[in-house]
Amino acid sequence: MSTYGSFPGTRPRRLRTTPVMRRMVAETRLHPADLILPAFVREGVSEPVPIAAMPGVVQHTRDTLKKAAAEAVEAGVSGIMLFGVPEDEKKDAAGTAGTDPDGILQVALRDVRAEVGDELLVMSDLCLDEFTDHGHCGVLDAQGRVDNDATLERYAEMAQVQADAGAHVVGPSGMMDGQVGVVRDALDQIGREDVAILAYTVKYASAFYGPFREAVGSSLKGDRKTYQQDAANVRDAMRELALDLEEGADMVMVKPAGPYLDILARVAEAVDVPVAAYQISGEYSMIEAAAEKGWIDRDRAILEALTGVKRAGARNILTYWATEVARTLR
């Protein structure tokens, strides 16, 4: 009993007393429709290939990718973002496998659309890094630098073949100046005004991409600091945002998610288009590794991390746990 009369009269703990009370007053709610599943499909394999750095994630065969897409639909996930992994001998300096109508990504897009139709948003990563022998997101000039404008020509062609293959949404992720405008024009020129652009608007040059490099069989030597953004900068992110919106982005993305929640909140506050965030491979792998060691409660940590991303302002979240979490939420 307090010796100070009725103090404290206001007791916030009253709203935390039971699970039902906490659920009723929750300000942020995750929903299966918030989630997008990134998925890798590898050319020339007959069985899924486990990704050592991402326990539980695989490079799919065409058949297992279709199964994963159907499972995502059943769980209530909104979208699937596809990444193609070609055979090494098909990589070249221009990334031509990325614009081949019969390349692995385009084949996978047709497969998934045939499997799920319009029940799942079929999205495609629009970038050259999986398809180039040097591993960069664009073509190189004579000095070995990424040639921005020559790369835009390749992105325009990629957008058109991905749309023809069935993509509902394309995601230009290479961080080339002008990429959104060029992709929009390329799509409109072939009468595909219906295909939306999810712009990788804020994409930082992050150490947390490490496991992804294994996932896509990256050939990269060096880094991408001349085109991805510097972790120290905020104004740069907001400038990219303004440019992408001006060029016609339908949705915008912040990547990575967890280390950049402040940027995500700034972007979400500034725009009236949907905002996505990509919980990237390193974020996934850290939780899985710590859980495997018994250091954290895996399921609680996953939901807490995703809730933090949603609370910061993401309307949609790309996460490798999308189907699993959607099932839990349902």
Side-chain angles (χ1 to χ4, degrees):
M1 187 71 179
S2 173
T3 59
Y4 300 100
S6 61
F7 182 83
T10 302
R11 295 182 182 269
R13 286 182 57 189
R14 294 187 188 114
L15 300 182
R16 305 171 195 152
T17 52
T18 67
V20 173
M21 177 68 80
R22 293 190 293 273
R23 186 175 71 233
M24 185 183 76
V25 301
E27 300 172 39
T28 303
R29 299 183 193 276
L30 287 171
H31 188 277
D34 298 335
L35 305 177
I36 297 167
L37 176 68
F40 308 101
V41 57
R42 180 169 172 175
E43 189 172 23
V45 296
S46 58
E47 298 290 337
V49 179
I51 300 167
M54 300 176 69
V57 180
V58 301
Q59 295 171 327
H60 284 286
T61 68
R62 289 174 59 186
D63 285 339
T64 64
L65 177 65
K66 290 189 288 186
K67 181 181 178 182
E71 290 173 347
V73 170
E74 185 179 5
V77 170
S78 282
I80 186 167
M81 175 67 78
L82 300 185
F83 297 85
V85 184
E87 294 176 308
D88 285 344
E89 58 268 25
K90 293 186 178 178
K91 295 181 179 182
D92 59 24
T96 52
T99 51
D100 180 354
D102 295 319
I104 183 58
L105 182 53
Q106 283 69 251
V107 168
L109 286 166
R110 290 195 290 271
D111 285 344
V112 174
R113 276 302 298 271
E115 182 72 22
V116 301
D118 293 331
E119 292 186 86
L120 186 70
L121 284 174
V122 180
M123 306 177 172
S124 55
D125 179 62
L126 200 165
C127 195
L128 289 172
D129 59 322
E130 298 101 311
F131 306 103
T132 55
D133 54 12
H134 47 73
H136 277 288
C137 296
V139 296
L140 306 182
D141 64 16
Q143 287 74 47
R145 302 169 300 189
V146 176
D147 186 326
N148 191 96
D149 294 1
T151 299
L152 294 182
E153 295 293 325
R154 301 288 295 123
Y155 286 1
E157 187 177 352
M158 287 190 82
Q160 292 177 340
V161 297
Q162 289 178 0
D164 285 343
H168 293 105
V169 180
V170 296
S173 63
M175 293 303 292
M176 296 297 115
D177 294 340
Q179 63 183 13
V180 172
V182 164
V183 167
R184 184 71 270 158
D185 284 348
L187 292 169
D188 292 351
Q189 284 175 18
I190 61 168
R192 296 311 306 272
E193 296 88 353
D194 57 322
V195 175
I197 297 176
L198 170 57
Y200 283 61
T201 293
V202 183
K203 185 177 181 182
Y204 283 96
S206 173
F208 293 96
Y209 295 132
F212 181 87
R213 305 281 160 77
E214 179 190 345
V216 296
S218 175
S219 305
L220 181 67
K221 301 294 188 293
D223 58 52
R224 298 187 172 112
K225 293 180 179 179
T226 64
Y227 45 103
Q228 294 178 353
Q229 290 167 266
D230 191 299
N233 294 340
V234 177
R235 291 186 182 90
D236 190 22
M238 302 310 290
R239 186 184 187 197
E240 292 277 7
L241 175 65
L243 290 168
D244 281 359
L245 292 173
E246 182 181 341
E247 292 173 23
D250 300 290
M251 300 171 277
V252 297
M253 185 195 296
V254 175
K255 180 180 182 182
Y260 296 93
L261 294 181
D262 59 325
I263 306 299
L264 175 57
R266 288 279 297 268
V267 169
E269 182 67 24
V271 303
D272 57 4
V273 300
V275 177
Y278 198 145
Q279 186 187 57
I280 66 170
S281 59
E283 298 176 74
Y284 173 94
S285 296
M286 287 192 300
I287 289 178
E288 290 286 353
E292 190 275 331
K293 292 282 189 181
W295 293 342
I296 61 173
D297 182 318
R298 176 185 179 275
D299 294 348
R300 287 183 59 197
I302 291 170
L303 288 175
E304 184 175 338
L306 289 170
T307 299
V309 177
K310 181 78 182 289
R311 188 185 63 243
R315 181 63 190 86
N316 298 103
I317 306 170
L318 287 85
T319 175
Y320 300 98
W321 291 301
T323 301
E324 176 187 343
V325 169
R327 287 170 173 159
T328 299
L329 295 174
R330 294 186 73 174

